[in-house]
């Protein structure tokens, strides 16, 4: 009887998963075998003319970008974990800012730079407006993922091998070769994760790729669903290829981790503080931090700011700031729903048993589904006769929630697992209701990760692009769609102003939320310091 009560408690969670994840994705991805599921009035059902070219280009570009990001990320993670450098705070800040910066803003900043007369007809301009530029931008966006994956692996490597080579007077060249062999599993993990991130990227293909008229898988899916005649079956076939590529990378990552994990982690690991870098190492670390920080963040952002203020103060008086306001409202609602949904998912995930394992598989698998595919699935799933949400704000908010909830679930997994179950048991013994237990125990003890997750979801939705492009309602254009449209029309000044307005909105909401939680709620400071 107790077992069935547990199943009944998690039944609402699995109904949510079935309705908002399994049903739309299954209906869309199975279209090649059941083409009659597609709306009959929506046009073609053929394989897109540029489908194979898009697949080839996506794989080649993603492999090149993954190799570049993995090489730099592996060394960067080594420098952060194995060497005590004064550049460490700068490295942390640069990586997180690159991770949070929308890719289409990065592209817009560089396009503004190369629009300057002095750079318009040079070699760098030609390289940027070519596949080389796409590879560089993809590698820049994949770099934080590579570093985040590799850092724990370098941290797990003990110092026994270094001490043994010093005792046996191993030559420097041979010592380097030994460490390179140890770096194989590390670099492999970084390469696979960077490949998955690059092959799923939409913002860079939608900006620089569209300017070059270079077929890329993610943008070809969007084109099949946004140009007449609409091609749902063709988009589904391309989406299947994209999902297969992402899942193949995830499976390869699991295999590599099991195959090489024991090389880095074993029972006799002894850790010690990172050593100070040699002079040559210090020079390389400083150069790496400066070059990446300046090229990826400083120069594009300076170009955006300069373009936004071009023409003086009067140039800032835009006729329509509605995209910022629309995205602000969408982000506030979607982030709140996503953090609530992630909380429910995380509770099921840490509960153990079959349900917990199933939730673990679901959250990991759904993170491998690009937002573009989820948005395309929602067009079909909720555009039925008598039950049509397509064209309204509700469907867009639901899609935002579904796209961010799996990521937040993984973020809340570790904090949720650290909660002592005896607290809930004691509360139940004293007759405390479920809602009071959630608010006074779970919410209080999880206040820091909940707020951090809400802010991450808010910033993500504020600048979200692929779901917005497919589902935004008429008259309520989101920020990402407006910036992309201005970028493609080469109205860089207007795009820069909107981007700065969005960044200012995110910063303002972040400050307000943190200030309210610190000063308006007396218990928050105690909760976050426990």
């Amino acid at each position: 009887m107790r077992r069935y009560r547990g199943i009944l408690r998690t039944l609402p969670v699995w109904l949510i998963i079935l309705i908002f994840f399994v049903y739309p994705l299954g209906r869309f991805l199975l279209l090649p075998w059941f083409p009659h599921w597609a709306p009959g009035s929506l046009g073609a059902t053929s394989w897109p003319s540029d489908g194979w070219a898009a697949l080839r280009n996506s794989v080649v570009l993603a492999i090149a970008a993954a190799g570049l990001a993995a090489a730099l990320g592996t060394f960067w993670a080594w420098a952060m974990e194995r060497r005590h450098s004064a550049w460490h705070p700068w490295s942390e800040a640069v990586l997180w800012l690159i991770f949070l910066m929308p890719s289409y803003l990065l592209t817009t900043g560089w396009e503004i730079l190369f629009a300057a007369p002095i750079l318009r007809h040079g070699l760098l301009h030609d390289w940027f407006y070519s596949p080389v530029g796409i590879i560089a931008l993809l590698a820049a966006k994949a770099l934080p993922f590579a570093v985040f994956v590799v850092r724990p692996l370098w941290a797990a490597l003990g110092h026994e091998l270094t001490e043994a080579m010093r005792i046996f007077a191993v030559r420097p060249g041979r010592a380097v070769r030994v460490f390179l062999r140890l770096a194989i599993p590390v670099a492999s993990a970084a390469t696979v994760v960077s490949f998955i991130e690059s092959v799923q990227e939409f913002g860079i293909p939608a900006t620089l790729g569209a300017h070059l008229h270079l077929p890329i898988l993610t943008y070809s899916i969007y084109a099949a669903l946004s140009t007449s005649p609409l091609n749902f079956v063709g988009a589904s076939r391309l989406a299947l290829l994209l999902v297969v590529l992402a899942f193949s990378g995830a499976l390869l990552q699991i295999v590599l981790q099991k195959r090489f994990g024991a090389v880095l982690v074993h029972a006799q690991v002894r850790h010690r503080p990172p050593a100070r870098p040699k002079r040559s190492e210090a020079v390389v670390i400083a150069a790496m931090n400066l070059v990446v920080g300046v090229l990826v963040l400083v120069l594009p952002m300076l170009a955006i700011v300069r373009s936004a203020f071009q023409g003086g103060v009067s140039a800032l008086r835009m006729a329509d700031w509605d995209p910022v306001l629309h995205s602000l409202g969408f982000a506030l609602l979607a982030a709140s729903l996503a953090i609530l949904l992630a909380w429910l998912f995380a509770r099921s995930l840490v509960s153990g048993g079959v349900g917990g394992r199933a939730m673990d598989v679901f959250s990991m698998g759904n993170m491998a589904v690009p937002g573009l595919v989820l948005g395309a699935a929602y067009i079909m799933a909720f555009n039925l006769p008598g039950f049509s949400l397509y064209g309204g704000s509700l469907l867009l908010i639901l899609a935002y929630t579904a796209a961010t909830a799996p990521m937040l679930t993984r973020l809340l997994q570790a904090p949720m697992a650290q909660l002592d179950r005896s607290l809930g048991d004691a509360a139940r013994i004293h007759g405390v209701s479920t809602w009071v237990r959630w608010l006074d125990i779970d919410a209080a003890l999880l206040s820091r990760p909940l707020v951090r997750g809400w802010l991450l979801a808010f910033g993500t939705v504020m600048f979200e692009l692929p779901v917005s492009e497919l589902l935004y309602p008429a008259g309520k254009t989101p920020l990402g769609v407006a910036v992309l449209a201005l970028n493609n029309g080469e109205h860089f000044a207007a795009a820069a102003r909107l981007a700065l307005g969005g960044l200012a909105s995110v910063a303002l909401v972040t400050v307000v939320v943190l200030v309210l939680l610190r000063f308006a709620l007396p218990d928050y400071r105690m909760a976050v310091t426990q």
Side-chain angles (χ1 to χ4, degrees), residues 114-134:
F114 283 111
I118 192 173
L119 296 175
R120 190 172 298 171
H121 301 292
L123 181 61
L124 291 178
H125 178 278
D126 295 338
W127 280 355
F128 179 76
Y129 285 98
S130 72
V132 175
I134 296 179

Side-chain angles (χ1 to χ4, degrees), residues 5-51:
R5 282 202 303 267
I7 295 176
L8 290 176
R9 280 199 302 267
T10 60
L11 184 60
V13 173
W14 290 105
L15 285 177
I16 292 173
I17 292 174
L18 179 64
I19 295 172
F20 295 104
F21 294 93
V22 177
Y23 160 65
L25 288 172
R27 177 168 180 162
F28 178 65
L29 294 178
L30 291 176
L31 272 181
W33 294 276
F34 303 95
H36 59 278
W37 286 357
S41 60
L42 293 183
T45 60
S46 61
W47 174 261
S49 59
D50 62 350

Side-chain angles (χ1 to χ4, degrees), residues 6-369:
I7 295 176
L8 290 176
R9 280 199 302 267
T10 60
L11 184 60
V13 173
W14 290 105
L15 285 177
I16 292 173
I17 292 174
L18 179 64
I19 295 172
F20 295 104
F21 294 93
V22 177
Y23 160 65
L25 288 172
R27 177 168 180 162
F28 178 65
L29 294 178
L30 291 176
L31 272 181
W33 294 276
F34 303 95
H36 59 278
W37 286 357
S41 60
L42 293 183
T45 60
S46 61
W47 174 261
S49 59
D50 62 350
W52 293 117
L55 175 62
R56 181 187 65 249
N57 293 337
S58 296
V59 172
V60 172
L61 294 174
I63 290 176
L68 181 59
L72 182 58
T74 301
F75 177 77
W76 199 327
W78 173 85
M80 295 180 71
E81 289 295 333
R82 312 292 290 185
R83 291 295 180 264
H84 180 70
S85 173
W87 288 95
H88 188 85
W90 168 270
S91 299
E92 294 276 7
V94 166
L95 290 171
W96 276 105
L97 287 174
I98 295 174
F99 173 76
L100 296 173
M101 187 177 185
S103 58
Y104 58 89
L105 287 189
L106 175 62
T107 309
T108 299
W110 275 104
E111 287 180 337
I112 293 172
L113 280 172
F114 283 111
I118 192 173
L119 296 175
R120 190 172 298 171
H121 301 292
L123 181 61
L124 291 178
H125 178 278
D126 295 338
W127 280 355
F128 179 76
Y129 285 98
S130 72
V132 175
I134 296 179
I135 291 172
L137 293 173
L138 290 175
K141 280 301 296 179
L143 178 61
F145 294 89
V147 176
F148 295 159
V149 168
V150 169
R151 283 189 66 181
L153 298 178
W154 279 128
L157 182 62
H159 291 267
E160 298 82 1
L161 184 62
T162 305
E163 296 171 356
M165 288 190 295
R166 187 179 296 116
I167 292 173
F168 290 99
V170 177
R171 298 177 181 177
R174 183 171 179 79
V176 170
R177 289 195 297 272
V178 171
F179 274 105
L180 287 178
R181 291 187 63 182
L182 286 176
I184 290 176
V186 177
S188 299
T191 303
V192 172
V193 171
S194 300
F195 174 81
I196 296 173
E197 175 62 21
S198 298
V199 82
Q200 292 183 344
E201 171 61 35
F202 177 75
I204 296 170
T207 48
L208 187 56
H211 288 168
L212 299 177
H213 303 288
L214 183 68
I216 299 176
L217 208 51
T218 51
Y219 193 71
S220 294
I221 296 172
Y222 166 72
L225 297 174
S226 60
T227 57
S228 183
L230 301 183
N231 187 357
F232 270 78
V233 176
S236 175
R237 290 170 177 166
L238 294 179
L240 271 173
L241 293 176
L242 185 61
V243 172
V244 167
L245 287 175
F247 270 101
S248 300
L251 291 176
L252 179 60
Q253 165 65 13
I254 294 173
V255 171
L256 290 174
Q257 185 176 357
K258 289 185 177 181
R259 172 66 177 82
F260 295 106
V263 176
L264 299 177
V265 182
H266 52 87
Q268 302 298 323
V269 172
R270 296 197 313 272
H271 298 286
R272 66 182 183 187
R276 295 186 62 84
K278 301 176 183 178
R279 179 173 299 181
S280 58
E281 294 173 344
V283 171
V284 174
I285 292 172
M288 176 185 63
N289 279 272
L290 283 174
V291 170
V292 173
V294 170
L295 292 181
V296 180
L297 289 176
V298 177
L299 287 180
M301 287 308 301
L302 286 179
I304 290 175
V305 172
R306 181 181 180 277
S307 180
F309 286 88
Q310 197 170 14
V313 177
S314 61
L316 297 177
R317 297 175 184 173
M318 292 187 61
D320 190 4
W321 285 91
D322 286 346
V324 176
L325 300 178
H326 293 155
S327 285
L328 188 61
F330 294 149
L332 290 172
L333 292 173
S336 301
L337 289 176
I339 198 66
L340 177 61
L341 199 61
W343 186 0
L344 296 176
F345 288 173
R347 289 178 62 87
S348 300
L349 180 59
V350 302
S351 63
V354 177
R357 291 192 294 271
M359 181 62 68
D360 188 24
V361 173
F362 158 76
S363 59
M364 287 295 293
N366 205 71
M367 287 178 65
V369 177

Side-chain angles (χ1 to χ4, degrees), residues 425-449:
D425 295 337
R428 276 192 294 271
I429 291 174
H430 289 83
V432 179
S433 65
T434 302
W435 288 104
V436 174
R437 291 200 306 268
W438 285 6
L439 292 175
D440 289 350
I441 298 177
D442 288 9
L445 295 177
L446 295 173
S447 56
R448 173 184 278 183

Side-chain angles (χ1 to χ4, degrees), residues 415-477:
M416 185 72 73
Q418 293 176 1
L419 290 181
D420 194 340
R421 295 185 180 180
S422 62
L423 295 175
D425 295 337
R428 276 192 294 271
I429 291 174
H430 289 83
V432 179
S433 65
T434 302
W435 288 104
V436 174
R437 291 200 306 268
W438 285 6
L439 292 175
D440 289 350
I441 298 177
D442 288 9
L445 295 177
L446 295 173
S447 56
R448 173 184 278 183
L450 286 173
V451 171
R452 189 164 49 214
W454 187 91
L455 290 174
L456 178 60
F458 174 80
T460 301
V461 173
M462 191 73 187
F463 288 94
E464 204 281 335
L465 183 60
V467 171
S468 303
E469 281 281 3
L470 293 175
L471 298 178
Y472 76 93
K476 294 185 179 180
T477 306

